[in-house]
Amino acid sequence: MHDEFLCHVTAYGVCDGRRIGVPLGAYRAPTLALALWWLRDRASWIAERLDPGPDTPHVPPGALVPVPDSVPDVPGILRAWCADVAQQGIAADELTEGRLVRIAASDETTEYELLAESVDAVRMHRTLPALVMPMA
C-alpha cells in the first residue's frame, strides 16, 4: 500500500531567541529503496560538509582542527546511521507500516533532522478527522 514516500531534511537552530528551521532538501521518492537511498545520501552530504576530510581540495591546509571529545559528533552519528544495515532495515519496516521515520543528530548550535513518511499515511491522517466525527 505504501508506494511513495515524502522525505525532508531540515536544520534547526536558535535565532533571536526563537527556534528556526532551515529546509535543506525534500524529495518525493517513488519507491521505498529510493527513499532510503535519499536519506542516506543527505545524511552523508551533511556529514561531509560538517567534517570534510583533511585532503579535501576546497579546504585550505590547516583550516581543520580536532574538536574535544566532549563535542557531539554529528557527522559520526550520521555516518554510523548510513552504515548500519540493521537501522536501515528498521527504517524500511517503519515506512512499510506507514509510520514516520525520524533521524536526528544535534550539537551545541544545530539539530539536523531527516524525515520520511508514506504519502498514503499522510493522506490517511488528513482524512481521519473527517471520518471520525462525533454523532449528536
Side-chain angles (χ1 to χ4, degrees), residues 118-134:
S118 161
V119 170
D120 295 326
V122 172
R123 288 181 184 143
M124 291 297 290
H125 285 102
R126 282 188 191 143
T127 60
L128 189 59
L131 295 174
V132 186
M133 292 179 43

Side-chain angles (χ1 to χ4, degrees), residues 7-83:
C7 306
H8 303 273
V9 179
T10 307
Y12 294 95
V14 176
C15 180
D16 198 25
R18 296 184 325 202
R19 182 175 159 93
I20 302 294
V22 178
L24 299 178
Y27 176 56
R28 188 171 180 144
T31 66
L32 176 62
L34 284 173
L36 292 170
W37 170 84
W38 191 83
L39 291 173
R40 284 189 306 271
D41 181 69
R42 294 296 83 196
S44 296
W45 180 82
I46 292 168
E48 184 57 32
R49 272 129 194 93
L50 293 175
D51 183 25
D55 57 346
T56 302
H58 64 274
V59 177
L64 301 176
V65 296
V67 296
D69 289 339
S70 61
V71 174
D73 183 11
V74 170
I77 292 166
L78 294 174
R79 287 178 177 127
W81 181 81
C82 289

